[in-house]
């Protein structure tokens, strides 16, 4: 009798352990909805309400998807993962008013802590800088990850920077089909070690003070993009130790289209630079051009004296 009771207790204990493991297990794909609840398991039929509520229930390398158009809150991404605002049936929005970042990418946990890939796509990040309360500081604050992909996103109304890359080692950000508007600086790039790399294509940077600012140890490739009405600063600036490569890009009606600080390298190919207060500015020997760019209507512009690009 005693033996039978012990066996029953052991079976019950095993069932409880199994149930507990099932409840707290992380899923590779989780879901959020505007009518969800963060106490839910974040499944398709029982979604969470916020990105922050879903991340603890999402496995490393997994994905959070939005089921409907809604505001899903700010998020610190601390492990390799994808956040997709449009895989479901809607579009995700993040309101980061109050002097904070919409997304902070800082990989501190997981088996891929040193080679983590983070993907953010189909998301609007709204800082509400013209609201009565304090506006958002940065749309995306990229602190640590091997690679960050930002695709099909809208970043707007930030009091600081749209995409701030502030690394302590090498990192790569891929920016594609994304617009940045009404922010103090569209994109800023710096690292204290290694190289901060940007590969940007089909981006629109309009109505800001500064567009793209490379501060230290940064390498940026910008292609097929549009920079306009960045007033009071530079549409693009390359600082000392930085390299900026611009191809098939339009720079219209900015205070300064491209500023090359001494010690930088700026290579321009097949681009249009029209109606800026200053076209090319700064250190003339930092510019390299293949002679296939179009400049017109600029108040002033230096003539590139650096080595010409090879034309095909």
């Amino acid at each position: 009798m005693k033996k039978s009771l012990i066996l029953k207790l052991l079976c019950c204990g095993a069932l409880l352990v199994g149930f507990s493991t099932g409840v707290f297990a992380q899923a590779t794909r989780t879901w959020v909805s505007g009518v969800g609840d963060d106490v839910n398991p974040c499944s398709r039929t029982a979604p969470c309400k916020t990105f922050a509520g879903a991340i603890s229930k999402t496995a490393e390398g997994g994905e959070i998807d939005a089921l409907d158009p809604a505001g899903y809150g700010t998020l610190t991404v601390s492990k390799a993962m994808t956040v997709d605002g449009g895989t479901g049936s809607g579009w995700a929005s993040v309101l980061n008013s109050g002097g904070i970042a919409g997304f902070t990418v800082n990989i501190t946990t997981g088996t891929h802590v040193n080679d983590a890939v983070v993907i953010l796509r189909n998301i609007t990040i709204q800082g509400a800088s013209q609201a009565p309360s304090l506006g958002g500081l940065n749309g995306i604050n990229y602190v640590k990850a091997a690679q960050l992909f930002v695709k099909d996103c809208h970043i707007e109304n930030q009091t600081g920077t749209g995409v701030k890359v502030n690394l302590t080692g090498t990192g790569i950000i891929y920016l594609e089909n994304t617009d940045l508007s009404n922010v103090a600086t569209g994109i800023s790039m710096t690292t204290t070690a290694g190289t901060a790399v940007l590969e940007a294509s089909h981006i629109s940077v309009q109505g800001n003070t500064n567009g793209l600012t490379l501060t230290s140890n940064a390498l940026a490739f910008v292609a097929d993009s549009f920079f306009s009405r960045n007033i009071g600063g530079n549409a693009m600036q390359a600082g000392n130790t930085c390299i900026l490569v611009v191809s098939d890009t339009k720079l219209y009606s900015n205070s300064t289209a491209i500023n090359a600080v001494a010690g930088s390298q700026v290579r321009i190919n097949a681009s249009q630079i029209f109606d800026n207060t200053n076209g090319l500015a700064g250190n003339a020997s930092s510019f390299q051009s293949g002679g296939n760019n179009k400049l017109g209507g600029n108040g002033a512009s230096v003539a590139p004296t650096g080595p010409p690009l090879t034309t095909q």
Side-chain angles (χ1 to χ4, degrees):
M1 187 74 175
K2 187 179 290 186
K3 186 175 181 181
S4 175
L5 180 60
I6 291 171
L7 285 172
K8 286 181 180 178
L9 289 172
L10 287 172
C11 288
C12 290
L15 285 172
L16 286 171
V17 170
F19 178 75
S20 176
T21 302
V23 168
F24 294 103
Q26 292 181 323
T28 303
R29 185 188 300 277
T30 57
W31 299 87
V32 291
S33 168
V35 293
D37 193 319
D38 284 345
V39 302
N40 288 340
C42 302
S43 64
R44 177 68 175 76
T45 55
C48 287
K49 188 175 181 64
T50 66
F51 289 141
I55 190 170
S56 63
K57 299 168 187 177
T58 308
E60 181 183 21
E63 179 169 322
I64 302 173
D65 292 326
L67 283 168
D68 46 54
Y72 290 109
T74 62
L75 179 66
T76 295
V77 182
S78 56
K79 56 189 171 185
M81 68 184 312
T82 295
V83 181
D84 193 321
T87 297
S89 60
W91 183 275
S93 179
V94 170
L95 178 63
N96 66 307
S97 61
I100 59 176
F103 286 86
T104 296
V105 178
N106 187 16
I107 307 304
T108 56
T109 61
T111 57
H112 292 278
V113 67
N114 293 317
D115 63 349
V117 175
V118 173
I119 300 173
L120 306 176
R121 59 177 176 240
N122 301 319
I123 301 168
T124 293
I125 306 173
Q126 163 70 272
S129 61
Q130 294 188 323
S133 58
L134 182 64
L137 182 59
N138 303 306
I140 298 172
N141 187 21
Y142 176 20
V143 179
K144 184 179 183 296
Q147 298 181 78
L148 171 61
F149 293 81
V150 179
K151 297 185 176 184
D152 301 296
C153 290
H154 305 289
I155 303 172
E156 56 200 39
N157 300 323
Q158 306 291 332
T159 60
T161 305
V163 177
K164 182 177 181 178
V165 180
N166 188 20
L167 307 175
T168 56
T170 294
I172 304 172
I173 178 170
Y174 303 89
L175 199 57
E176 182 180 345
N177 295 326
T178 291
D179 61 81
L180 303 106
S181 56
N182 192 32
V183 300
T185 298
I187 308 160
S188 66
M189 304 275 299
T190 189
T191 182
T192 57
T195 306
V197 180
L198 168 68
E199 294 191 7
S201 63
H202 301 100
I203 66 171
S204 177
V205 184
Q206 299 174 274
N208 312 302
T209 303
N210 295 288
L212 168 63
T213 300
L214 310 181
T215 301
S216 180
N217 302 315
L219 169 62
F221 302 91
V222 180
D224 298 299
S225 295
F226 188 72
F227 287 68
S228 74
R229 298 285 173 181
N230 295 286
I231 304 300
N234 305 286
M236 298 182 180
Q237 176 171 297
N240 184 26
T241 72
C242 296
I243 299 173
L244 172 62
V245 181
V246 183
S247 179
D248 297 290
T249 291
K250 297 175 174 63
L251 298 104
Y252 297 164
S253 301
N254 302 284
S255 291
T256 297
I258 303 177
N259 184 26
V261 175
S264 67
Q265 297 179 53
V266 177
R267 302 169 187 143
I268 315 170
N269 180 67
S271 294
Q272 299 177 11
I273 303 172
F274 293 154
D275 300 310
N276 304 280
T277 304
N278 299 289
L280 307 181
N283 187 37
S285 63
S286 292
F287 286 101
Q288 299 178 46
S289 172
N292 56 356
N293 301 292
K294 296 180 180 179
L295 285 81
N298 302 296
S301 189
V302 302
T305 60
L309 298 176
T310 301
T311 56
Q312 303 296 323

